[in-house]
Amino acid sequence: MPALDDATRGRILFGGDYNPEQWPEETWAEDMRLMKDAGVNSVTIGVFSWARIEPRPGVRDFGWLDRLTDLTHAHGIGVVLATPTAAPPPWMGARHPETLPRDESGQTVWWGSRQQFCPSSPTYRAYAAAITEDLAARYAGHPALTMWHINNEYCTHCWCDETARHFRRWLAARYGTVEALNEAWGTAFWSQRYDTWDEVIPPRRAQYIRNPAHLLDFRRFTSDALLECYTAERDIVARHTPHVPVTTNFMPLWSGQDAWAWAAEEDVVSVDVYPDPRDPLGGQYNALIGDMTRSQAGGGPWMVMEQAAGPVNWRDVNHPRPEGLNRLLSLQAVAHGADGVCYFQWRQSRQGAEKFHSGMVPHAGEHGRTFREVKRIGAELAALGPRVAGTRVAAEVAVLHDWHTWWATQQEGRLSREVEYPELLRAWHRALWEEGLTAAFAHPEHDLGGYRMVVVPQLYLLSDAAVDNLVAYVAGGGTLVSGFLTGVADEDDRIRPGGMDERLRALFGIGVLHEWWPLDRGETVACDGFAGTLWSEELEAADAEVVSAYRGGELAGLPAVLRRGRAWYVSTLPEPAGLRGLLGRAAAGAGVRPVLEGLPAGVEAVRRGGLLFVLNHGRAPVEVAVPGAYRDVLTGAVVTGSLALERYGVAVLREEAP
């Protein structure tokens, strides 16, 4: 299979979505000049060009795209060519209303925006395949083509009758018989038993709480239905260009796709990431997405397909990035394994829904601060590329994450709506990040033998294979630290006897799990050494050490944190300093050390290949102790013992021989 290296060839891809169809053609020459000035070596084109390429059914207008790809090639700029299937033209919905998605109440989602397609619609799929076929046939031999970009941010859900038929086929393949479906879904509850497949529908709007197993399988089905759309287009372009890598861009921590399954079908794993510039932990969020995407890429290089050079347009208040933050986040992505750093979009739009979404060339033009910073980033990435492209990031700690357990925790009849799976994931990753420990992500059924420590923020739903994997990991000498409400349900969202899988209770030394005690918003519970938030549990220890006990309320004196050998169980969410302390203690016991000791608050250190990236996410200058002698490959400066970093400053250090 082709890989990202086939597109980068020792470079870091730098550029962004280029939408020249929004501009007069005379603008294109100006774009080429500015791209060369900024060090752009890659542009993504055609993402939302379906109506331009196919203005009416069956008609093709490739002339403008021919001229554009020839122009970019003449200026040494590679093309990531997109299939335009994320935005069907208005004529499709008008002529074929069956292609339009319907919401949970049966209301049609009309054209006038984007993503207005039913993934199960044979008509939509046929039109998508036809335009992909013609696009691939026409540009397969074009020298500018470096990568294929299929669709864009797959996110469409549909509850229509065609989806119902597709859902029934998916269920029949999964369960075989209606009787097996009834058993898996527990339909004896509330008289929900199905007699024939025809009675099964998507989980549409209902009178009261819907069957959580039904909802869970519909989430699984929707991810798979969208994946079918992706693989159909991927197979077409791969047939024409087996040497060209293929990607589609994930949204960060998007609940609608099982990205473990999707990443296995991609040559290049790419993501769109937009940290809030006002978020004091925006750098940690950016690191989390980088660590997760790199892990989906099997630990190899990945690509930022979209980020913002300035403000976005979809938050309540859309703030620009302060000077230096764009550079910091871009170089941070490289530190976490990215071999492509791109933007939405090249030139800021003057019309349409995203005219207030920033571009590499903003409304202020080439003389604005944004473009000046873009030029600096392009120059530094060009210098870094030969040294860093293709290298890997070492991680001795893995964070376990699974979309199926996330989906299961979103059920309507749960114990606490204050407990949100992504926030738990972010809290545990934050503790590792602030402790200076580089993390990877893994699926609970992955081989975990390469990690000294594995942490589980929460895995409510676990398969038998996953449970056995965790037990075997600890038996093999690994350190496991698990958060609350883990191992509670099986794959069908059936509660395990005793409220937690008995193998896990034995692993953690839990005798009896009497009751779950969720906490109200803002409520805390005192524990030895920290305050607990969100959750608590009424546990009895069997043969485990009580690391921390509850010190107030109904659970006073009962264990809050248990440890049995190398297995830790944390029955609440410690406040940030407390969780950091616990994970730091467990990591030290597992032989995991920070990349740099004693980092100031807000400073991150990551090793990639032979380079040490030191990044200051704070708004004030800092001094960082750096034992040994290094040279900053960005500036050429020699660093011995101490490193001065300005606000949002970055140093990329190569160790010097003594």
Side-chain angles (χ1 to χ4, degrees):
M1 293 176 64
L4 187 56
D5 289 348
D6 297 304
T8 59
R9 300 178 183 88
R11 302 172 301 161
I12 295 171
L13 294 183
F14 180 63
D17 280 23
Y18 182 32
N19 301 296
E21 65 270 27
Q22 299 177 12
W23 300 86
E25 238 175 273
E26 51 266 28
T27 309
W28 299 2
E30 178 74 357
D31 286 331
M32 295 302 108
R33 179 184 69 81
L34 293 175
M35 285 181 188
K36 295 301 289 183
D37 193 28
V40 167
N41 56 33
S42 177
V43 291
T44 301
I45 60 177
V47 177
F48 298 119
S49 300
W50 196 340
R52 179 70 187 270
I53 297 171
E54 189 174 11
R56 60 192 59 84
V59 174
R60 297 288 187 265
D61 178 7
F62 286 122
W64 68 278
L65 196 52
D66 291 346
R67 295 189 296 276
L68 181 65
T69 49
D70 290 346
L71 184 65
T72 56
H73 178 64
H75 286 81
I77 298 169
V79 166
V80 179
L81 186 55
T83 63
T85 51
W91 59 254
M92 187 181 296
R95 289 172 171 81
H96 301 285
E98 73 277 10
T99 66
L100 296 171
R102 291 180 179 264
D103 66 18
E104 292 171 276
S105 297
Q107 298 299 308
T108 299
V109 179
W110 298 95
W111 63 89
S113 182
R114 67 184 199 188
Q115 264 98 15
Q116 75 281 5
F117 64 88
C118 167
S120 299
S121 166
T123 304
Y124 165 77
R125 291 191 180 197
Y127 274 115
I131 197 167
T132 300
E133 182 75 42
D134 290 350
L135 198 69
R138 189 173 189 92
Y139 297 101
H142 200 288
L145 179 64
T146 59
M147 193 185 306
W148 286 103
H149 179 319
I150 304 298
N151 202 281
N152 183 76
E153 296 183 337
Y154 279 100
C155 60
T156 305
H157 289 56
C158 181
W159 288 259
C160 75
D161 289 342
E162 188 60 55
T163 296
R165 288 186 284 271
H166 191 188
F167 185 38
R168 287 191 284 268
R169 294 193 299 272
W170 184 90
L171 291 169
R174 181 177 176 86
Y175 294 109
T177 67
V178 177
E179 289 72 21
L181 172 76
N182 283 316
E183 175 65 22
W185 284 10
T187 57
F189 184 79
W190 279 353
S191 186
Q192 292 177 2
R193 180 186 174 276
Y194 296 97
D195 187 47
T196 69
W197 286 114
D198 288 342
E199 297 168 4
V200 181
I201 59 174
R204 293 169 177 155
R205 183 177 178 274
Q207 187 68 19
Y208 189 41
I209 296 174
R210 293 169 292 181
N211 186 331
H214 188 177
L215 290 165
L216 175 59
D217 267 348
F218 190 69
R219 290 272 198 170
R220 290 166 168 157
F221 157 78
T222 298
S223 178
D224 286 354
L226 288 167
L227 184 57
E228 288 176 14
C229 293
Y230 164 75
T231 56
E233 294 183 37
R234 178 209 60 192
D235 290 348
I236 292 169
V237 303
R239 174 164 40 83
H240 286 275
T241 55
H243 58 290
V244 177
V246 184
T247 189
T248 188
N249 49 333
F250 294 153
M251 290 182 286
L253 273 182
W254 165 241
S255 68
Q257 294 167 285
D258 179 356
W260 291 120
W262 280 68
E265 303 291 344
E266 293 186 285
D267 301 321
V268 176
V269 181
S270 62
V271 71
D272 303 345
V273 57
Y274 293 98
D276 187 341
R278 287 291 183 95
D279 182 357
L281 289 171
Q284 181 260 320
Y285 174 76
N286 207 48
L288 183 155
I289 299 305
D291 291 339
M292 181 177 290
T293 310
R294 183 185 71 250
S295 302
Q296 290 159 0
W302 54 280
M303 181 177 179
V304 176
M305 184 64 76
E306 291 183 21
Q307 63 172 336
V312 296
N313 71 327
W314 38 263
R315 293 190 174 100
D316 290 341
V317 179
N318 295 288
H319 299 282
R321 289 183 168 184
E323 187 166 7
L325 184 58
N326 186 11
R327 173 178 179 262
L328 170 67
L329 296 176
S330 297
L331 292 174
Q332 184 189 27
V334 175
H336 285 263
D339 274 4
V341 177
C342 297
Y343 293 82
F344 181 85
Q345 57 182 328
W346 164 248
R347 186 182 284 274
Q348 191 169 10
S349 300
R350 293 182 61 195
Q351 292 181 291
E354 292 181 316
K355 59 183 175 291
F356 292 115
H357 190 298
S358 59
M360 299 169 76
V361 181
H363 293 314
E366 64 180 296
H367 301 296
R369 173 175 66 85
T370 296
F371 188 69
R372 184 174 67 244
E373 292 184 2
V374 163
K375 288 171 59 177
R376 181 183 182 187
I377 295 166
E380 291 183 332
L381 294 181
L384 278 176
R387 297 180 181 276
V388 76
T391 64
R392 291 189 166 230
V393 177
E396 296 181 305
V397 180
V399 181
L400 297 194
H401 164 55
D402 178 35
W403 269 266
H404 296 248
T405 200
W406 183 0
W407 296 333
T409 62
Q410 291 179 313
Q411 61 189 272
E412 295 162 346
R414 57 189 186 267
L415 286 170
S416 173
R417 297 185 183 276
E418 298 300 320
V419 177
E420 292 289 348
Y421 178 87
E423 295 309 311
L424 290 175
L425 210 62
R426 188 167 176 179
W428 282 64
H429 182 274
R430 172 188 174 180
L432 296 170
W433 185 76
E434 291 183 334
E435 192 66 14
L437 304 174
T438 303
F441 280 78
H443 185 278
E445 293 182 15
H446 283 174
D447 180 3
L448 304 175
Y451 301 106
R452 291 178 179 268
M453 185 169 83
V454 167
V455 304
V456 179
Q458 184 187 86
L459 286 173
Y460 160 81
L461 180 151
L462 280 173
S463 66
D464 285 340
V467 173
D468 288 340
N469 195 37
L470 297 185
V471 173
Y473 170 73
V474 176
T479 295
L480 177 69
V481 187
S482 175
F484 62 81
L485 207 66
T486 288
V488 170
D490 66 12
E491 288 176 285
D492 296 325
D493 196 18
R494 181 185 294 107
I495 301 298
R496 302 274 190 179
M500 175 189 274
D501 187 279
E502 61 181 353
R503 291 162 291 182
L504 293 181
R505 294 203 308 272
L507 180 68
F508 295 124
I510 297 172
V512 180
L513 196 167
H514 290 284
E515 199 59 80
W516 297 295
W517 289 77
L519 303 179
D520 289 329
R521 180 188 296 268
E523 183 182 5
T524 61
V525 58
C527 306
D528 291 326
F530 61 84
T533 69
L534 285 181
W535 195 265
S536 56
E537 293 180 347
E538 188 176 350
L539 301 173
E540 281 184 28
D543 54 346
E545 170 195 355
V546 178
V547 176
S548 175
Y550 291 108
R551 289 304 176 197
E554 296 286 342
L555 306 184
L558 295 178
V561 180
L562 293 171
R563 178 184 179 186
R564 182 176 178 271
R566 293 182 176 272
W568 300 60
Y569 185 74
V570 185
S571 68
T572 183
L573 178 65
E575 39 73 34
L579 184 57
R580 176 181 175 179
L582 278 174
L583 293 185
R585 176 179 169 186
V592 182
R593 296 291 183 268
V595 175
L596 283 180
E597 301 279 357
L599 286 173
V603 175
E604 173 186 17
V606 184
R607 289 192 185 275
R608 182 178 178 190
L611 299 179
L612 173 63
F613 289 73
V614 187
L615 308 104
N616 178 20
H617 296 275
R619 291 176 175 264
V622 292
E623 287 282 335
V624 182
V626 183
Y630 294 85
R631 185 175 297 276
D632 188 338
V633 301
L634 296 178
T635 65
V638 174
V639 176
T640 306
S642 179
L643 171 67
L645 287 176
E646 62 186 0
R647 78 160 192 165
Y648 302 139
V650 181
V652 183
L653 306 180
R654 184 188 71 237
E655 195 163 10
E656 295 277 273

